[in-house]
Amino acid sequence: MADRSSRISKRWLYVPFVIAALIFAGYYLLWRAGAHEMKKAVDGWVIDQRAAGLDVFHGPVTAEGFPFFLRVHIEAPEISLPEAWHWRAETLFLDALPYDLNRLILSPGGEQLLSVDGFGAWRGSAADLRASIANDKTRGWVFALTAGDAAGRRDSDGATYRLASLVLDLAPAPDDPAVLTLNLAANDLEISAGGESYEMVQLQTIASLSATDMLLAPTPAASWREAGGALTIAHFFAEIETMKIALSGAIQLDPNHYPQGSLKTELQSPAGLANLLGKSGALSQAEASAMAAGLTLMALPSGGKITAPIELKEGFAQIAGVKIADLPRLE
Protein backbone atom coordinates (compact mmCIF):
# COMPACT_ATOMS: atom_id res chain seq x y z
CA MET A 1 0.00 0.00 0.00
CA ALA A 2 2.84 2.39 0.83
CA ASP A 3 4.50 1.71 -2.58
CA ARG A 4 1.21 2.45 -4.38
CA SER A 5 0.77 5.76 -2.50
CA SER A 6 4.32 6.69 -3.39
CA ARG A 7 3.69 6.03 -7.11
CA ILE A 8 0.54 8.16 -7.03
CA SER A 9 2.41 10.99 -5.32
CA LYS A 10 5.15 10.88 -7.95
CA ARG A 11 2.60 11.11 -10.75
CA TRP A 12 1.37 14.38 -9.31
CA LEU A 13 4.86 15.78 -9.79
CA TYR A 14 4.36 15.61 -13.57
CA VAL A 15 1.08 17.54 -13.53
CA PRO A 16 2.66 21.05 -13.58
CA PHE A 17 4.85 20.04 -16.53
CA VAL A 18 1.88 18.68 -18.44
CA ILE A 19 -0.07 21.88 -17.78
CA ALA A 20 2.92 24.00 -18.86
CA ALA A 21 3.26 21.95 -22.05
CA LEU A 22 -0.43 22.42 -22.84
CA ILE A 23 -0.19 26.17 -22.24
CA PHE A 24 2.93 26.39 -24.42
CA ALA A 25 1.26 24.40 -27.19
CA GLY A 26 -1.82 26.60 -26.98
CA TYR A 27 0.31 29.74 -27.13
CA TYR A 28 2.19 28.38 -30.13
CA LEU A 29 -1.11 27.73 -31.94
CA LEU A 30 -2.24 31.25 -31.05
CA TRP A 31 1.04 32.65 -32.37
CA ARG A 32 0.66 30.67 -35.60
CA ALA A 33 -2.92 31.91 -36.00
CA GLY A 34 -1.80 35.50 -35.39
CA ALA A 35 0.99 35.17 -37.94
CA HIS A 36 -1.48 33.79 -40.48
CA GLU A 37 -3.90 36.67 -39.87
CA MET A 38 -1.15 39.28 -40.23
CA LYS A 39 0.05 37.79 -43.50
CA LYS A 40 -3.53 37.64 -44.69
CA ALA A 41 -4.00 41.30 -43.69
CA VAL A 42 -0.89 42.27 -45.68
CA ASP A 43 -2.25 40.51 -48.78
CA GLY A 44 -5.65 42.18 -48.32
CA TRP A 45 -4.09 45.61 -47.85
CA VAL A 46 -2.04 45.21 -51.04
CA ILE A 47 -5.15 44.27 -53.02
CA ASP A 48 -7.10 47.24 -51.61
CA GLN A 49 -4.32 49.74 -52.39
CA ARG A 50 -3.90 48.47 -55.93
CA ALA A 51 -7.63 48.83 -56.43
CA ALA A 52 -7.34 52.44 -55.19
CA GLY A 53 -4.74 53.23 -57.87
CA LEU A 54 -1.46 52.68 -56.00
CA ASP A 55 1.39 50.55 -57.27
CA VAL A 56 2.45 48.14 -54.50
CA PHE A 57 5.23 45.56 -54.72
CA HIS A 58 7.18 43.53 -52.19
CA GLY A 59 9.35 40.47 -51.78
CA PRO A 60 8.87 37.46 -49.48
CA VAL A 61 6.70 37.81 -46.36
CA THR A 62 7.80 35.76 -43.35
CA ALA A 63 6.89 35.55 -39.65
CA GLU A 64 9.37 35.47 -36.76
CA GLY A 65 9.72 36.41 -33.10
CA PHE A 66 8.21 33.34 -31.36
CA PRO A 67 7.65 33.14 -28.42
CA PHE A 68 8.15 36.71 -27.20
CA PHE A 69 6.34 38.67 -29.92
CA LEU A 70 4.93 38.37 -33.42
CA ARG A 71 6.87 40.01 -36.24
CA VAL A 72 6.08 39.86 -39.94
CA HIS A 73 9.08 40.63 -42.12
CA ILE A 74 8.40 42.11 -45.58
CA GLU A 75 11.32 42.24 -47.99
CA ALA A 76 11.81 45.20 -50.38
CA PRO A 77 8.46 46.98 -49.93
CA GLU A 78 7.67 49.55 -52.62
CA ILE A 79 4.61 51.83 -52.81
CA SER A 80 3.87 54.62 -55.26
CA LEU A 81 1.16 56.82 -56.69
CA PRO A 82 2.12 57.33 -60.34
CA GLU A 83 3.35 60.85 -61.12
CA ALA A 84 2.91 61.91 -57.47
CA TRP A 85 5.13 60.03 -55.02
CA HIS A 86 7.18 56.87 -54.59
CA TRP A 87 8.54 55.13 -51.47
CA ARG A 88 10.66 52.05 -51.01
CA ALA A 89 12.74 50.50 -48.24
CA GLU A 90 15.07 47.56 -47.77
CA THR A 91 12.75 45.88 -45.27
CA LEU A 92 9.55 46.55 -43.35
CA PHE A 93 8.70 44.95 -40.01
CA LEU A 94 5.15 44.62 -38.64
CA ASP A 95 5.11 43.88 -34.90
CA ALA A 96 2.14 42.87 -32.75
CA LEU A 97 1.20 40.81 -29.73
CA PRO A 98 -0.10 37.43 -30.93
CA TYR A 99 -3.14 37.67 -28.63
CA ASP A 100 -3.98 41.28 -29.58
CA LEU A 101 -3.80 42.35 -33.24
CA ASN A 102 -5.60 45.65 -32.56
CA ARG A 103 -2.28 47.53 -32.52
CA LEU A 104 0.34 47.11 -35.24
CA ILE A 105 3.79 48.70 -35.15
CA LEU A 106 5.54 49.31 -38.48
CA SER A 107 9.29 49.94 -38.61
CA PRO A 108 11.22 50.14 -41.88
CA GLY A 109 14.83 49.03 -41.84
CA GLY A 110 17.87 50.11 -43.79
CA GLU A 111 17.96 52.92 -46.35
CA GLN A 112 14.71 54.36 -47.64
CA LEU A 113 13.90 56.29 -50.80
CA LEU A 114 11.10 58.87 -50.90
CA SER A 115 10.40 60.73 -54.11
CA VAL A 116 7.68 63.40 -54.19
CA ASP A 117 6.73 65.35 -57.28
CA GLY A 118 8.15 68.85 -56.93
CA PHE A 119 10.50 67.95 -54.04
CA GLY A 120 12.83 65.47 -55.72
CA ALA A 121 14.10 62.09 -54.56
CA TRP A 122 15.50 61.75 -51.04
CA ARG A 123 17.51 58.86 -49.58
CA GLY A 124 17.63 58.53 -45.83
CA SER A 125 17.70 56.36 -42.75
CA ALA A 126 17.00 56.65 -39.04
CA ALA A 127 18.33 54.98 -35.93
CA ASP A 128 14.76 54.78 -34.64
CA LEU A 129 11.70 54.97 -36.91
CA ARG A 130 8.36 53.48 -35.83
CA ALA A 131 4.77 54.03 -36.84
CA SER A 132 1.77 52.40 -35.21
CA ILE A 133 -1.92 52.15 -35.96
CA ALA A 134 -4.30 51.03 -33.22
CA ASN A 135 -8.01 50.56 -32.75
CA ASP A 136 -9.50 52.86 -30.12
CA LYS A 137 -12.91 52.52 -28.43
CA THR A 138 -13.68 56.25 -28.33
CA ARG A 139 -11.87 57.56 -31.41
CA GLY A 140 -11.95 54.62 -33.81
CA TRP A 141 -8.24 54.65 -34.56
CA VAL A 142 -4.99 56.29 -33.44
CA PHE A 143 -1.87 56.77 -35.56
CA ALA A 144 1.52 57.48 -33.98
CA LEU A 145 4.93 58.15 -35.50
CA THR A 146 8.30 58.32 -33.74
CA ALA A 147 11.62 59.15 -35.39
CA GLY A 148 15.08 59.62 -33.91
CA ASP A 149 18.52 60.41 -35.33
CA ALA A 150 17.28 60.62 -38.92
CA ALA A 151 19.31 61.95 -41.83
CA GLY A 152 18.98 62.03 -45.59
CA ARG A 153 20.15 63.49 -48.87
CA ARG A 154 18.47 64.56 -52.11
CA ASP A 155 19.92 62.96 -55.22
CA SER A 156 19.56 65.87 -57.61
CA ASP A 157 21.41 68.67 -55.81
CA GLY A 158 22.95 67.21 -52.65
CA ALA A 159 20.53 68.92 -50.28
CA THR A 160 20.59 67.31 -46.82
CA TYR A 161 18.55 67.11 -43.63
CA ARG A 162 19.17 65.90 -40.09
CA LEU A 163 16.53 65.42 -37.42
CA ALA A 164 17.21 64.57 -33.78
CA SER A 165 13.67 63.55 -32.80
CA LEU A 166 10.03 63.71 -33.85
CA VAL A 167 6.85 62.49 -32.15
CA LEU A 168 3.48 62.71 -33.93
CA ASP A 169 0.01 61.55 -32.87
CA LEU A 170 -2.98 61.74 -35.20
CA ALA A 171 -6.53 60.58 -34.44
CA PRO A 172 -10.20 61.53 -34.91
CA ALA A 173 -11.84 63.61 -32.20
CA PRO A 174 -13.88 61.51 -29.75
CA ASP A 175 -17.10 63.40 -30.52
CA ASP A 176 -16.70 63.81 -34.31
CA PRO A 177 -14.85 61.35 -36.58
CA ALA A 178 -14.62 64.04 -39.31
CA VAL A 179 -12.34 66.14 -37.06
CA LEU A 180 -8.69 65.08 -37.04
CA THR A 181 -6.53 66.07 -34.09
CA LEU A 182 -2.75 66.41 -34.31
CA ASN A 183 -0.06 66.58 -31.63
CA LEU A 184 3.47 67.07 -32.90
CA ALA A 185 6.85 67.77 -31.34
CA ALA A 186 10.21 67.92 -33.11
CA ASN A 187 13.71 68.88 -32.06
CA ASP A 188 16.94 69.87 -33.81
CA LEU A 189 16.07 69.86 -37.50
CA GLU A 190 18.81 71.06 -39.85
CA ILE A 191 18.28 71.50 -43.60
CA SER A 192 20.85 72.53 -46.18
CA ALA A 193 19.54 73.31 -49.68
CA GLY A 194 20.24 75.73 -52.49
CA GLY A 195 23.30 77.16 -50.78
CA GLU A 196 21.27 78.06 -47.69
CA SER A 197 21.02 76.34 -44.32
CA TYR A 198 18.11 76.31 -41.91
CA GLU A 199 18.08 75.24 -38.27
CA MET A 200 14.96 74.60 -36.22
CA VAL A 201 15.70 74.09 -32.54
CA GLN A 202 12.21 72.93 -31.60
CA LEU A 203 8.64 72.77 -32.84
CA GLN A 204 5.49 72.02 -30.86
CA THR A 205 1.91 72.13 -32.08
CA ILE A 206 -1.57 71.00 -31.11
CA ALA A 207 -4.07 71.44 -33.92
CA SER A 208 -7.28 70.05 -35.40
CA LEU A 209 -8.81 69.96 -38.87
CA SER A 210 -12.60 69.78 -39.17
CA ALA A 211 -14.81 68.52 -42.02
CA THR A 212 -12.07 66.23 -43.31
CA ASP A 213 -14.67 64.05 -45.05
CA MET A 214 -15.18 66.93 -47.51
CA LEU A 215 -11.54 66.72 -48.63
CA LEU A 216 -12.39 63.60 -50.63
CA ALA A 217 -15.08 65.41 -52.65
CA PRO A 218 -14.55 66.17 -56.38
CA THR A 219 -14.04 69.85 -55.47
CA PRO A 220 -12.36 69.57 -52.05
CA ALA A 221 -11.67 73.27 -51.39
CA ALA A 222 -15.20 74.40 -52.25
CA SER A 223 -16.82 71.50 -50.39
CA TRP A 224 -14.62 72.00 -47.32
CA ARG A 225 -15.44 75.72 -47.20
CA GLU A 226 -19.19 75.14 -47.61
CA ALA A 227 -19.07 72.61 -44.76
CA GLY A 228 -17.49 75.22 -42.47
CA GLY A 229 -14.14 73.47 -42.38
CA ALA A 230 -11.40 75.06 -40.29
CA LEU A 231 -7.82 74.46 -39.22
CA THR A 232 -7.77 75.28 -35.51
CA ILE A 233 -4.37 75.85 -33.93
CA ALA A 234 -4.69 75.47 -30.19
CA HIS A 235 -0.94 75.85 -29.66
CA PHE A 236 2.03 76.37 -31.95
CA PHE A 237 5.56 77.23 -30.89
CA ALA A 238 8.70 77.21 -33.00
CA GLU A 239 12.27 78.28 -32.38
CA ILE A 240 14.00 78.66 -35.72
CA GLU A 241 17.50 80.09 -35.78
CA THR A 242 17.24 83.41 -33.90
CA MET A 243 13.42 83.63 -34.04
CA LYS A 244 10.80 82.38 -31.60
CA ILE A 245 7.13 82.44 -32.57
CA ALA A 246 3.95 81.33 -30.76
CA LEU A 247 0.56 81.15 -32.53
CA SER A 248 -3.05 80.22 -31.84
CA GLY A 249 -6.25 80.75 -33.79
CA ALA A 250 -8.30 79.37 -36.68
CA ILE A 251 -7.90 79.41 -40.47
CA GLN A 252 -10.70 78.93 -43.00
CA LEU A 253 -11.13 79.70 -46.72
CA ASP A 254 -12.52 82.90 -48.20
CA PRO A 255 -14.89 82.89 -51.22
CA ASN A 256 -11.88 82.81 -53.57
CA HIS A 257 -10.40 79.83 -51.69
CA TYR A 258 -7.52 81.74 -50.12
CA PRO A 259 -6.75 81.10 -46.43
CA GLN A 260 -8.32 83.65 -44.11
CA GLY A 261 -8.27 84.16 -40.37
CA SER A 262 -6.55 85.87 -37.48
CA LEU A 263 -3.81 84.20 -35.46
CA LYS A 264 -2.85 85.47 -32.03
CA THR A 265 0.91 85.86 -32.27
CA GLU A 266 3.92 86.50 -30.09
CA LEU A 267 7.09 86.99 -32.09
CA GLN A 268 10.60 87.38 -30.70
CA SER A 269 13.44 88.55 -32.95
CA PRO A 270 11.15 89.47 -35.87
CA ALA A 271 14.13 90.17 -38.15
CA GLY A 272 14.84 86.44 -37.93
CA LEU A 273 11.43 85.70 -39.45
CA ALA A 274 12.11 88.14 -42.30
CA ASN A 275 15.50 86.55 -43.00
CA LEU A 276 13.95 83.07 -42.98
CA LEU A 277 11.21 84.04 -45.45
CA GLY A 278 13.79 85.69 -47.68
CA LYS A 279 16.09 82.64 -47.69
CA SER A 280 13.22 80.26 -48.42
CA GLY A 281 11.92 82.35 -51.34
CA ALA A 282 8.55 83.10 -49.73
CA LEU A 283 9.51 86.80 -50.03
CA SER A 284 11.88 88.58 -52.37
CA GLN A 285 15.07 89.90 -50.83
CA ALA A 286 13.72 93.45 -51.14
CA GLU A 287 10.47 92.45 -49.38
CA ALA A 288 12.40 90.58 -46.70
CA SER A 289 14.67 93.57 -46.04
CA ALA A 290 11.72 95.94 -45.80
CA MET A 291 9.91 93.52 -43.48
CA ALA A 292 12.96 93.14 -41.21
CA ALA A 293 13.38 96.90 -40.92
CA GLY A 294 9.69 97.54 -40.23
CA LEU A 295 9.26 94.79 -37.66
CA THR A 296 12.52 95.61 -35.89
CA LEU A 297 11.36 99.20 -35.35
CA MET A 298 8.01 97.98 -34.02
CA ALA A 299 9.72 95.59 -31.62
CA LEU A 300 12.13 98.13 -30.12
CA PRO A 301 9.74 99.53 -27.46
CA SER A 302 9.03 96.03 -26.12
CA GLY A 303 12.59 94.73 -26.06
CA GLY A 304 12.59 92.95 -29.42
CA LYS A 305 9.17 91.27 -29.14
CA ILE A 306 5.96 91.86 -31.11
CA THR A 307 2.56 90.82 -29.79
CA ALA A 308 0.07 91.31 -32.61
CA PRO A 309 -2.18 89.05 -34.68
CA ILE A 310 -1.11 87.63 -38.02
CA GLU A 311 -3.94 88.48 -40.41
CA LEU A 312 -4.63 86.22 -43.38
CA LYS A 313 -6.79 87.90 -46.00
CA GLU A 314 -7.04 88.68 -49.70
CA GLY A 315 -4.26 86.31 -50.63
CA PHE A 316 -1.51 87.47 -48.28
CA ALA A 317 -0.47 87.39 -44.63
CA GLN A 318 0.55 90.42 -42.60
CA ILE A 319 1.50 91.28 -39.03
CA ALA A 320 1.14 94.81 -37.66
CA GLY A 321 0.41 96.00 -41.21
CA VAL A 322 3.61 94.49 -42.65
CA LYS A 323 3.29 91.83 -45.37
CA ILE A 324 5.05 88.59 -44.48
CA ALA A 325 3.92 86.15 -47.20
CA ASP A 326 1.76 85.51 -50.24
CA LEU A 327 -0.89 82.82 -49.66
CA PRO A 328 -1.72 79.97 -52.04
CA ARG A 329 -5.15 79.56 -53.63
CA LEU A 330 -6.52 76.10 -52.87
CA GLU A 331 -8.47 74.07 -55.41
Side-chain angles (χ1 to χ4, degrees):
M1 181 67 72
D3 290 342
R4 182 180 177 184
S5 298
S6 176
R7 287 195 299 270
I8 293 174
S9 298
K10 289 180 179 180
R11 288 173 185 172
W12 280 103
L13 295 176
Y14 297 105
V15 170
F17 297 99
V18 172
I19 294 174
L22 291 174
I23 292 174
F24 185 82
Y27 182 80
Y28 176 70
L29 293 175
L30 179 65
W31 188 93
R32 286 283 302 271
H36 175 75
E37 288 300 318
M38 286 183 68
K39 290 181 181 180
K40 184 178 177 181
V42 170
D43 292 338
W45 184 87
V46 170
I47 292 172
D48 290 343
Q49 301 314 305
R50 287 173 175 170
L54 296 180
D55 292 334
V56 182
F57 305 96
H58 61 81
V61 179
T62 57
E64 57 189 41
F66 181 83
F68 302 106
F69 60 91
L70 174 56
R71 166 170 284 182
V72 169
H73 183 185
I74 304 173
E75 288 283 354
E78 189 170 349
I79 308 170
S80 64
L81 178 62
E83 300 182 359
W85 57 268
H86 175 232
W87 173 85
R88 76 166 183 257
E90 295 179 12
T91 59
L92 180 63
F93 300 103
L94 277 68
D95 295 335
L97 295 173
Y99 52 83
D100 183 9
L101 299 182
N102 287 317
R103 182 172 183 263
L104 296 179
I105 301 174
L106 296 83
S107 52
E111 185 182 64
Q112 300 175 64
L113 171 67
L114 177 62
S115 177
V116 180
D117 186 39
F119 292 91
W122 293 78
R123 299 179 183 274
S125 61
D128 178 25
L129 181 58
R130 291 168 288 137
S132 69
I133 182 76
N135 293 327
D136 185 85
K137 292 182 179 179
T138 60
R139 293 178 288 179
W141 56 269
V142 176
F143 174 80
L145 174 67
T146 301
D149 292 330
R153 182 181 183 88
R154 186 160 59 190
D155 292 341
S156 59
D157 61 356
T160 62
Y161 72 86
R162 186 189 68 80
L163 174 68
S165 67
L166 180 145
V167 177
L168 179 151
D169 293 308
L170 181 69
D175 55 346
D176 187 350
V179 176
L180 289 184
T181 61
L182 169 71
N183 293 332
L184 184 148
N187 292 284
D188 295 331
L189 171 64
E190 296 179 6
I191 299 175
S192 176
E196 299 285 358
S197 61
Y198 309 86
E199 182 178 357
M200 183 192 72
V201 179
Q202 61 175 313
L203 169 67
Q204 301 171 356
T205 187
I206 301 172
S208 63
L209 184 68
S210 64
T212 57
D213 51 336
M214 295 294 102
L215 299 179
L216 300 177
T219 54
S223 300
W224 188 70
R225 179 181 181 275
E226 291 172 2
L231 171 63
T232 302
I233 303 171
H235 169 73
F236 176 93
F237 175 79
E239 182 178 353
I240 304 174
E241 298 181 352
T242 62
M243 175 200 68
K244 294 181 181 180
I245 185 170
L247 302 171
S248 62
I251 301 173
Q252 296 181 297
L253 292 181
D254 67 16
N256 295 316
H257 298 169
Y258 286 102
Q260 71 173 4
S262 179
L263 302 176
K264 181 180 178 181
T265 305
E266 184 176 289
L267 177 61
Q268 296 184 37
S269 184
L273 175 60
N275 294 334
L276 177 65
L277 294 174
K279 286 199 304 183
S280 66
L283 294 178
S284 68
Q285 288 302 319
E287 290 175 323
S289 297
M291 174 186 168
L295 294 183
T296 299
L297 286 175
M298 294 178 193
L300 285 177
S302 57
K305 180 172 69 174
I306 292 177
T307 302
I310 291 179
E311 302 287 349
L312 311 177
K313 61 180 181 180
E314 300 176 357
F316 64 91
Q318 65 177 18
I319 180 170
V322 178
K323 177 183 173 181
I324 60 174
D326 291 312
L327 300 176
R329 184 178 186 275
L330 304 182
E331 299 295 336

